[in-house]
Amino acid sequence: MRHILTPLDFSVSELDKIFDLAADIEANPKKYANACRGKKLATLFYEPSTRTRLSTETAMLNLGGSTMGFSDATSSSVSKGESVADTIRTISCFADIAAIRHPKEGAAMVAKQASGIPVINCGDGGHQHPTQTLTDMLTIRSLTGRLNNMTIGLCGDLKFGRTVHSLISAMSRYDGIRFAFISPDELKIPDYVVEKLEENDIPYEEFVRLDDVIGRLDILYMTRVQRERFFNEEDYIRLKDFYILTPRIMRRAKNDMYVLHPLPRVNEISVEVDKDPRAAYFRQVQYGVYVRMALILTLLDIHVNDDGSVTEEA
Ligand code: NCD
């Protein structure tokens, strides 16, 4: 049985297959409309979410399956003190696949160990968020036609941003990738991430000012300051508006640079940037549905034939 806790749970060639499948789903959605008929997805969300939960549920619904779950731990037996392990063991009796989001790093790993069904990590604390990364990668691949030879700038909360940590580890496996880390000192990329890059001779530079580097980027990945992971409110207030991407700053960027953001956006991208053809963050949301459909099929080992019939591995 397969799970996805980090994007590294899949090899580069397996990820390529998922992206090819997602592209086919985008081109031929009807072919996939009954692929998961009779299958159930459970979403166990112990932390707030709009896109990730609804996108994962939409993915299952688009495949003809159904969904159940909780979006607020206080409405489940978690509020009575039930452990993640016992919850997933129970859910394994009801559903065919589970998607979990939890504020603690490692929660998805605990779930996987106790689970009788494939587990999708939808974010564990500040650690990893693999389905957002697959979304980001499909977006980059669809818009630029490649996943190699590019400079990716990540800007904002690089310390607590799990989408940042996931994307760096996944993109590090492709040739010719250079990273630019743009953050205030207090929100710098963690040492363990940088050490991995150094071990693998992957070039990176660190900046405080976005202006200093935006002209060299192929992708600009903006992120929200992760208020819920701060220890005190004063630090959050001081740092929250450190970056605001505006049309003035966009003027310095290449014509073929794309702006991505996992969303939700707070203040870090001015709404005037939304009209810029390089603003790709809402297209990114749509790619997230295709890639999660492809991921669900892959984890359930369901192969969809050209006529829409299904071959399910035993
Ligand atoms: C991200 C997350 O939850 O880590 N959102 C998302 O899943 N699209 C980013 C964020 O909350 O800032």
Side-chain angles (χ1 to χ4, degrees):
M1 195 192 349
R2 291 201 76 169
H3 310 271
I4 186 165
L5 303 190
T6 100
L8 304 184
D9 288 337
F10 286 80
S11 68
V12 167
S13 66
E14 286 173 326
L15 285 188
D16 283 342
K17 280 200 192 122
I18 292 181
F19 299 138
D20 289 342
L21 180 56
D24 193 56
I25 290 169
E26 179 182 8
N28 306 292
K30 287 214 178 94
K31 184 170 132 187
Y32 295 89
N34 293 307
C36 284
R37 178 87 40 227
K39 302 280 182 203
K40 296 185 218 78
L41 162 81
T43 49
L44 319 180
F45 274 56
Y46 298 77
E47 242 193 10
S49 169
T50 301
R51 267 151 299 273
T52 305
R53 185 174 62 83
L54 294 178
S55 168
T56 310
E57 292 190 359
T58 302
M60 190 46 136
L61 295 172
N62 287 352
L63 292 166
S66 48
T67 69
M68 62 172 93
F70 55 83
S71 55
D72 175 2
T74 56
S75 67
S76 72
S77 282
V78 173
S79 63
K80 302 180 188 166
E82 187 168 55
S83 66
V84 167
D86 284 3
T87 302
I88 193 84
R89 207 166 287 156
T90 305
I91 299 296
S92 299
C93 303
F94 306 149
D96 301 281
I97 185 164
I100 178 168
R101 165 172 288 191
H102 198 283
K104 286 213 181 97
E105 290 79 6
M109 174 63 88
V110 171
K112 166 191 156 170
Q113 281 160 352
S115 181
I117 55 178
V119 171
I120 301 174
N121 179 11
C122 285
D124 59 328
H127 183 224
Q128 292 274 317
H129 191 347
T131 66
Q132 183 62 47
T133 298
L134 300 195
T135 301
D136 304 337
M137 293 170 79
L138 178 64
T139 307
I140 296 172
R141 196 182 97 139
S142 303
L143 298 178
T144 69
R146 66 187 197 283
L147 282 169
N148 52 15
N149 299 319
M150 60 175 80
T151 303
I152 303 175
L154 297 108
C155 177
D157 188 345
L158 308 187
K159 181 177 179 185
F160 297 114
R162 56 192 171 197
T163 63
V164 167
H165 307 150
S166 268
L167 185 60
I168 295 168
S169 54
M171 291 304 295
S172 293
R173 295 190 294 180
Y174 292 80
D175 291 335
I177 297 296
R178 298 163 298 274
F179 292 108
F181 299 135
I182 308 138
S183 71
D185 266 353
E186 295 90 331
L187 298 178
K188 268 170 76 152
I189 194 85
D191 289 343
Y192 80 89
V193 178
V194 166
E195 280 158 20
K196 273 261 157 52
L197 296 178
E198 284 173 2
E199 268 167 38
N200 294 300
D201 281 330
I202 297 162
Y204 70 90
E205 283 183 89
E206 295 185 271
F207 301 86
V208 174
R209 282 165 47 89
L210 179 54
D211 264 352
D212 291 344
V213 65
I214 193 167
R216 288 199 263 140
L217 305 179
D218 299 300
I219 299 292
L220 171 59
Y221 195 85
M222 293 296 295
T223 61
R224 168 182 75 89
V225 177
Q226 305 277 300
R227 179 182 204 158
E228 64 276 35
R229 309 209 196 284
F230 271 67
F231 297 110
N232 76 64
E233 185 73 4
E234 271 164 47
D235 285 349
Y236 170 71
I237 289 169
R238 192 163 46 79
L239 294 167
K240 72 182 172 63
D241 291 330
F242 202 91
Y243 298 105
I244 302 180
L245 184 65
T246 58
R248 182 194 66 76
I249 302 174
M250 284 297 285
R251 261 186 252 132
R252 291 171 174 254
K254 292 190 205 172
N255 287 336
D256 60 353
M257 183 198 80
Y258 287 102
V259 184
L260 273 64
H261 191 310
L263 303 178
R265 149 177 65 187
V266 184
N267 243 345
E268 57 280 354
I269 303 180
S270 117
V271 289
E272 293 150 57
V273 175
D274 298 359
K275 313 192 269 292
D276 189 309
R278 295 168 293 181
Y281 27 92
F282 290 111
R283 280 174 276 173
Q284 196 178 347
V285 175
Q286 183 61 60
Y287 286 120
V289 176
Y290 303 136
V291 92
R292 289 184 173 98
M293 290 171 74
L295 179 67
I296 290 171
L297 290 174
T298 305
L299 291 174
L300 291 177
D301 231 336
I302 293 174
H303 179 80
V304 179
N305 304 308
D306 281 342
D307 63 357
S309 64
V310 161
T311 317
E312 196 174 338
E313 300 300 320

